[in-house]
Amino acid sequence: TANDKYKLSINDLLVKAITVAAKRVPDANAYWLPNENVIRKFKNVDVSVAVATPTGLLTPIVKNCEAKGLSQISNEIKELVKRARINKLAPEEFQGGTICNNAVNMFTSIINPPQSTILAIATVERVAVEDAAAENGFSFDNQVTITGTFDHRTIDGAKGAEFMKELKTVIENPLEML
């Protein structure tokens, strides 16, 4: 919370981190268009955000995340999620997107064609980590597991690994989101 003006969630931060990583590794932010047999890379990063609704999973899109700050992304996500849960999204608000963030199901993520990348986000867990400075030799840290699924017609494993490394770098160094 910033003077009670707005609250940022971990998901808001992840959407921005995904955006920064996608700008650094554009192959992750692309479509495979089979009818044209072509790969389309995007300059804009439109992040689909998975939302569980009474009628199933929807993925409303936060468009042009690369041009938005954290508070604007956060506000848009809150509004999109609220309207998704009451079935009040227009088709253009949940069809498309250039990359997907799935914080709903951490066990499996299926790519939303024609997108090439989807990220399965687990919940934050407290884990013991070695800490020589601590009295008992360990301390606790918050960690999250993120699994990337990539369409290898668009982004091969090496580029997928590069994207995941960039995402990790941004998450561990949040000032890189600014």
Side-chain angles (χ1 to χ4, degrees), residues 30-32 46 48 96-100 111-118 151:
Y31 279 0
W32 167 249
D46 296 346
S48 301
T98 62
I99 193 166
C100 191
I111 295 171
N112 299 322
Q115 294 178 8
S116 298
T117 303
I118 187 168
D151 183 338

Side-chain angles (χ1 to χ4, degrees), residues 70-129:
L70 282 166
S71 63
Q72 187 175 1
I73 288 171
S74 177
N75 289 337
E76 285 187 33
I77 291 172
K78 285 177 181 71
E79 178 62 24
L80 288 165
V81 167
K82 183 172 97 178
R83 290 190 299 112
R85 289 190 173 138
I86 59 171
N87 200 25
K88 295 293 182 187
L89 291 177
E92 62 272 9
E93 292 179 298
F94 63 88
Q95 295 173 352
T98 62
I99 193 166
C100 191
N101 168 18
N102 181 0
V104 173
N105 185 343
M106 65 184 176
F107 299 110
T108 181
S109 287
I110 299 170
I111 295 171
N112 299 322
Q115 294 178 8
S116 298
T117 303
I118 187 168
L119 300 160
I121 315 291
T123 56
V124 176
E125 295 180 356
R126 284 202 54 78
V127 296
V129 293

